[in-house]
Amino acid sequence: MSKYYSIRTKLIAFMLIATTLPLLASISMTFIQTKTALREQAVEENKRLIYQASTNLNNYVDNVARASLAVYNDPNFLRNLAKIPGDYRAVAEVYTTLQTIRAAVPDVFQLYLHSFAANQSTLITNPFPKREERKQAYSGSLHGKTGGDSPDIWVESAHMSHTYGFKAASPMTLKERSLPCIG
């Protein structure tokens, strides 16, 4: 008689099968259920994150729009633009309004404003505002080109920060940064 046909070998094989089959079945079912539950949980979490991201983006765009429109909420701002460069109080109020707009949105690094009425350009950066007399807006900007159907007021899309042709540049404006700028 062969040793593989003995009762002892058959009992050992039976016990191994009797313990490993239920164990393998249990492991398989647990794996499948865990995989399904994790997949559903990930989908739900991603839905919540996408909703939160869209809400954050909408709030950010609303804040930028609100900050951009702040000049219209200040009744003296447009009058002050016509008064500068002679009226230092008007210059201070314009600076204050522009710094408020720049500070309202943390990702706005600099603000550039050109007043055709006063032939003056203003650049608000952190920490130094700059002002120069110019007949035209900075020619390197999108709308600074003369001629054509250029609108009176515009907001430039996000672009690399630069000095807008100002001679005295702060160290912060010379760094390469790709942050939104309102021009």
Side-chain angles (χ1 to χ4, degrees), residues 116 135-139 141-150:
F116 289 100
K135 297 280 186 209
Q136 295 294 326
Y138 177 63
S139 61
S141 68
L142 180 64
H143 296 283
K145 314 265 189 271
T146 55
D149 296 330
S150 183

Side-chain angles (χ1 to χ4, degrees), residues 35-45:
K35 183 174 129 182
T36 305
L38 285 175
R39 181 174 286 145
E40 290 172 2
Q41 182 182 0
V43 166
E44 289 302 315
E45 185 69 22

Side-chain angles (χ1 to χ4, degrees), residues 26-164:
S26 172
I27 290 172
S28 307
M29 290 176 66
T30 303
F31 175 76
I32 290 170
Q33 287 179 345
T34 304
K35 183 174 129 182
T36 305
L38 285 175
R39 181 174 286 145
E40 290 172 2
Q41 182 182 0
V43 166
E44 289 302 315
E45 185 69 22
N46 285 340
K47 282 181 186 178
R48 283 194 300 272
L49 288 173
I50 288 172
Y51 175 76
Q52 185 65 41
S54 73
T55 302
N56 289 346
L57 187 60
N58 285 336
N59 288 337
Y60 178 77
V61 169
D62 288 345
N63 284 340
V64 169
R66 219 173 296 123
S68 299
L69 296 175
V71 295
Y72 302 108
N73 295 333
D74 184 359
N76 297 320
F77 183 77
L78 296 176
R79 272 183 261 144
N80 287 336
L81 282 178
K83 290 180 185 177
I84 60 175
D87 188 351
Y88 291 104
R89 184 174 155 222
V91 169
E93 288 180 15
V94 167
Y95 278 157
T96 302
T97 303
L98 293 176
Q99 286 175 338
T100 301
I101 293 170
R102 194 195 63 73
V105 182
D107 292 332
V108 172
F109 177 66
Q110 62 186 11
L111 224 73
Y112 174 74
L113 173 75
H114 180 78
S115 170
F116 289 100
N119 290 330
Q120 189 143 37
S121 290
T122 305
L123 179 65
I124 303 292
T125 60
N126 194 16
F128 307 109
K130 297 167 194 62
R131 185 173 48 138
E132 261 182 21
E133 244 183 74
R134 294 182 184 168
K135 297 280 186 209
Q136 295 294 326
Y138 177 63
S139 61
S141 68
L142 180 64
H143 296 283
K145 314 265 189 271
T146 55
D149 296 330
S150 183
D152 291 337
I153 298 172
W154 67 86
V155 175
E156 288 187 7
S157 60
H159 58 278
M160 294 296 284
S161 295
H162 55 85
T163 62
Y164 285 94

Side-chain angles (χ1 to χ4, degrees), residues 160-161 172-178:
M160 294 296 284
S161 295
M172 289 297 288
T173 50
L174 294 178
K175 287 184 179 177
E176 284 196 14
R177 296 180 67 166
S178 182

